[in-house]
Amino acid sequence: MAHQLGIKEAKRRAGRLCALRERSSQEIADKVKSWGLSERECKEIVDLFIREGLVDEQRFANAYCHDKFEFNSWGKQKIKWHISPHKISSAILEKSLSEIDPKKYKHRLYELAQKKWDGLHKEEDQKKKQKTISYLIGKGFEHDLIGAAINSLSEKSH
């Protein structure tokens, strides 16, 4: 472990981290602990940052869900799985996920499915279906939506 920081320096450094992008309270707690502060000091810093509005779980979850969908084209299942280390409450997470536009979500799924499907033009239909489904599951989309997209693509190709 590196040398222990004082609480004043830890607050300053953690404040700079919060200024760069949204952070979860878990992220700040983990970082402060890594600097050698006690559990009590860590809690004190996180609580202060929450009171001052530097850390806000809903804001963090909104930004995380938005960015992972918009920039990584992740589905809700993958977002849920990857946000779990941040220990966001399910109510906050569900609210953030519900803010993803359903039409845009379906459109993104269909775009990804179409691109994958078209890239498999040399494959037999059954193999195309399997590979496209596997790809979309890996992206974190829900099975019922994947099924609808695959059925649509399959019908178009016949």
Side-chain angles (χ1 to χ4, degrees):
M1 177 181 0
H3 74 287
Q4 189 171 348
L5 292 181
I7 193 161
K8 189 174 180 178
E9 177 64 11
K11 283 180 188 176
R12 190 180 68 71
R13 284 188 184 184
R16 278 201 323 246
L17 287 174
C18 291
L20 296 174
R21 67 169 174 82
E22 291 296 339
R23 306 277 178 175
S24 67
S25 56
Q26 188 63 47
E27 252 180 306
I28 295 302
D30 292 345
K31 185 54 90 171
V32 171
K33 283 179 197 165
S34 77
W35 295 332
L37 273 74
S38 71
E39 195 71 39
R40 183 190 56 75
E41 292 168 321
C42 173
K43 184 173 174 12
E44 180 184 321
I45 291 172
V46 170
D47 290 347
L48 173 69
F49 282 15
I50 290 170
R51 280 194 313 274
E52 290 181 349
L54 291 171
V55 171
D56 181 289
E57 299 289 36
Q58 188 66 65
R59 220 173 44 220
F60 169 78
N62 290 347
Y64 190 94
C65 292
H66 172 269
D67 290 355
K68 294 304 180 188
F69 172 68
E70 289 294 332
F71 303 121
N72 298 60
S73 296
W74 285 3
K76 293 178 181 180
Q77 301 304 312
K78 189 166 185 171
I79 292 170
K80 283 180 185 179
W81 192 74
H82 279 271
I83 203 171
S84 63
H86 294 276
K87 298 181 180 164
I88 302 298
S89 79
S90 58
I92 287 174
L93 179 56
E94 289 306 320
K95 184 176 187 301
S96 295
L97 289 171
S98 73
E99 292 180 12
I100 297 173
D101 180 349
K103 286 181 183 172
K104 197 172 188 179
Y105 188 77
K106 264 188 169 175
H107 182 71
R108 179 71 51 87
L109 167 65
Y110 278 85
E111 278 180 336
L112 292 169
Q114 183 74 59
K115 187 174 181 180
K116 183 68 175 176
W117 186 271
D118 292 346
L120 298 168
H121 60 276
K122 293 180 181 177
E123 299 282 353
E124 295 174 18
D125 273 4
Q126 192 56 36
K127 206 60 154 161
K128 272 183 164 181
K129 283 181 184 181
Q130 289 172 344
K131 287 184 176 187
T132 304
I133 289 169
S134 180
Y135 171 72
L136 295 171
I137 288 171
K139 291 296 269 182
F141 288 93
E142 296 83 345
H143 290 277
D144 58 330
L145 297 176
I146 292 171
I150 295 301
N151 289 339
S152 174
L153 289 171
S154 184
E155 288 171 11
K156 274 196 235 177
S157 69
H158 287 103

